[in-house]
Amino acid sequence: MDTLLIATHNTGKVREFEEMLAQLGITLKSAADFDLPEPEETGTTFTDNALLKAKAGCEATGLPTLADDSGFCVTSLMGRPGIYSARWAETEAGRDFNAAMVRVNEELGEAEDRSAYFVAVLALVYPDGREEIFEGRIDGLAVWPPRGNKGFGYDPMFVPSGYNMTFGEMESAEKHKISHRALAVQQFVGYLKAKAA
Ligand code: IMP
């Protein structure tokens, strides 16, 4: 594999992938390089959504394509917001993750079990139709009130197991060592290295 399409318009994600995949000597292209439309996330699982984004990118460009889908899952809420994590933040005025965190906390109410986790799924699709899935997950607790302003999304209300700080209080380098996304990318890198060996 010489060239890989990262099927996202999110420049932050593209940069993260560039950093994490730099060691592999693969040329990375992004959805913006091809002016690709963003497919609607109509799947019912993280894997469905990652796959539909990767397939759309691969069909449009003919390149092996990697796409991701991720979210915040709360055990007592039966895994919600899950694939709807971004949608819970949608308001008429734009995305508001404070409002989304308030909703999570309100729905939790007096629940004793405040365990929660982040999931990231990466889907790799080849032009010949082959598919590979890589998944990362980090467990922890949904805390209240939110703390820290370093991360994004639900970071301020998530304390990973074995830590006292929320993701919102952690330096990004620290978070990127243990995050769901980092774990999924590590698996992907391991797969590529094994293939090249
Ligand atoms: P998507 O993967 O771009 O569809 O976004 C999923 C949503 O999940 C994001 O908008 C965030 O709300 C949430 N999310 C995913 N990963 C993280 C994370 O590392 N920290 C905080 N929120 C996250």
Side-chain angles (χ1 to χ4, degrees):
M1 187 190 297
D2 305 320
T3 306
L4 176 70
L5 171 69
I6 308 289
T8 178
H9 284 271
N10 180 327
T11 48
K13 278 188 189 171
V14 175
R15 205 175 325 113
E16 253 183 57
F17 279 114
E18 275 168 355
E19 282 167 23
M20 291 193 267
L21 302 178
Q23 35 160 333
L24 298 171
I26 296 174
T27 303
L28 296 187
K29 298 279 183 195
S30 78
D33 291 329
F34 294 93
D35 209 12
L36 297 179
E38 272 191 270
E40 210 188 323
E41 297 186 12
T42 52
T44 56
T45 63
F46 291 113
T47 302
D48 285 349
N49 282 336
L51 268 175
L52 72 85
K53 289 185 259 187
K55 279 181 189 163
C58 185
E59 275 163 21
T61 63
L63 289 172
T65 301
L66 189 71
D68 80 325
D69 198 45
S70 57
F72 182 52
C73 306
V74 181
T75 310
S76 291
L77 303 184
M78 287 168 303
R80 291 183 309 141
I83 59 167
Y84 301 105
S85 294
R87 282 166 268 186
W88 274 31
E90 270 160 25
T91 69
E92 278 174 16
R95 280 195 179 162
D96 179 350
F97 280 98
N98 285 323
M101 289 190 285
V102 166
R103 178 169 170 192
V104 168
N105 189 56
E106 281 179 0
E107 293 208 13
L108 266 171
E110 299 302 312
E112 266 177 36
D113 180 1
R114 296 194 62 106
S115 62
Y117 50 96
F118 280 109
V119 172
V121 171
L122 293 179
L124 172 65
V125 171
Y126 290 93
D128 66 7
R130 274 177 299 145
E131 297 170 356
E132 302 283 347
I133 299 292
F134 310 94
E135 184 166 340
R137 166 174 167 156
I138 177 154
D139 286 275
L141 287 178
V143 298
W144 201 258
R147 305 194 313 256
N149 55 11
K150 293 207 171 86
F152 71 100
Y154 297 84
D155 280 345
M157 71 174 301
F158 180 73
V159 174
S161 300
Y163 290 77
N164 294 317
M165 276 191 276
T166 66
F167 263 178
E169 293 172 308
M170 259 181 209
E171 294 302 331
S172 67
E174 185 74 14
K175 176 186 167 188
H176 291 155
K177 276 187 217 154
I178 60 170
S179 77
H180 46 310
R181 204 164 294 103
L183 293 171
V185 170
Q186 274 165 27
Q187 283 191 36
F188 172 63
V189 171
Y191 159 84
L192 288 181
K193 285 187 174 162
K195 251 170 65 87

